[in-house]
Amino acid sequence: MEYGAAPTAPAVIVAIDGPSGTGKSSTSKAVAARLGLSYLDTGAQYRAITWWMVTNGIDTDDPRAIAAAAGKAEIVSGTDPAAPSITVDGVDVAGPIRTQEVTSRVSAVSAVPEVRTRITELQRAIAAGAPEGIVVEGRDIGTTVLPDADLKIFLTASAEARAARRSGELKGADLRSTREALIKRDAADSSRKTSPLAKADDAVEVDTTELTLTQVIECVVTLVEEKRAGK
């Protein structure tokens, strides 16, 4: 089914969580497109607010400064899986939010409770406004953002596999430094006090280490179709 086609199956909310490099984004976009669902990359929203902080000279090492500015940026996420978009104050930031500067600061900004509250409210509103259903990917979707999601999936993979994938995405990035950066990010996201990266108790875990992207997509599509059939 193409995006935008009228779905014949019941609406379904799918939460896909996991650390970087497990294939969350590619899998989520493909599954949403296949099944006629909306798509939301929540990580892009945290990157967007981090980009705004950096651009506006907010000290990202100062949680109080981050908290004070948490509500200022207007973040709009497009939910078409074929062409997901994100703007901040009307500016297309799909490219700028992927820079190393933003990547190195996003965990610190994301850990501030006021930021998480602001972005979580935005995420819930987007999910509630998707009548056909939606695939939402991130790190705390099944545990915090959408704890009542119809289906929760937690993608995992070895640090080595994730580093290899991310290095490929970053075009020649050093594999060892990429692996170390991923492990550091995992530790920061898993240990933060507010909405840490964690697997929901009722999530289906899918280890993607030995799977191709196509195999992961097929696995998740099957899980969603089974959930829809049971609704």
Side-chain angles (χ1 to χ4, degrees), residues 46 49-50 53 58-71 105-120 140 188-189 191-196:
Y46 284 106
I49 199 168
T50 301
M53 298 274 178
I58 306 299
D59 183 357
T60 55
D61 291 322
D62 183 351
R64 288 178 297 181
I66 294 172
R105 298 170 186 256
V106 67
S107 285
V109 173
S110 301
V112 176
E114 288 81 357
V115 170
R116 299 208 74 81
T117 296
R118 162 85 196 289
I119 300 298
T120 295
D140 65 340
D189 290 348
S191 61
R192 64 174 177 243
K193 293 182 179 179
T194 305
S195 302

Side-chain angles (χ1 to χ4, degrees), residues 58-124:
I58 306 299
D59 183 357
T60 55
D61 291 322
D62 183 351
R64 288 178 297 181
I66 294 172
K72 294 183 178 180
E74 181 186 9
I75 300 171
V76 177
S77 298
T79 58
D80 180 344
S85 60
I86 187 159
T87 63
V88 178
D89 296 337
V91 178
D92 180 356
V93 296
I97 64 173
R98 303 295 172 180
T99 63
Q100 183 55 42
E101 182 174 28
V102 171
T103 298
S104 66
R105 298 170 186 256
V106 67
S107 285
V109 173
S110 301
V112 176
E114 288 81 357
V115 170
R116 299 208 74 81
T117 296
R118 162 85 196 289
I119 300 298
T120 295
E121 289 173 351
L122 180 59
Q123 293 162 359
R124 287 173 176 165

Side-chain angles (χ1 to χ4, degrees), residues 147-210:
D148 295 324
D150 297 300
L151 176 63
K152 302 174 187 177
I153 296 170
F154 194 85
L155 298 184
T156 65
S158 69
E160 289 73 20
R162 294 191 291 121
R165 292 167 186 166
R166 186 50 53 91
S167 293
E169 293 171 5
L170 298 176
K171 306 298 181 187
D174 178 70
L175 186 61
R176 183 172 180 178
S177 62
T178 300
R179 179 178 181 276
E180 291 173 353
L182 284 175
I183 292 174
K184 183 178 180 181
R185 175 90 190 268
D186 291 348
D189 290 348
S190 300
S191 61
R192 64 174 177 243
K193 293 182 179 179
T194 305
S195 302
L197 165 66
K199 175 189 171 185
D201 291 340
D202 54 347
V204 178
E205 183 170 324
V206 178
D207 188 334
T208 71
T209 302
E210 303 295 336

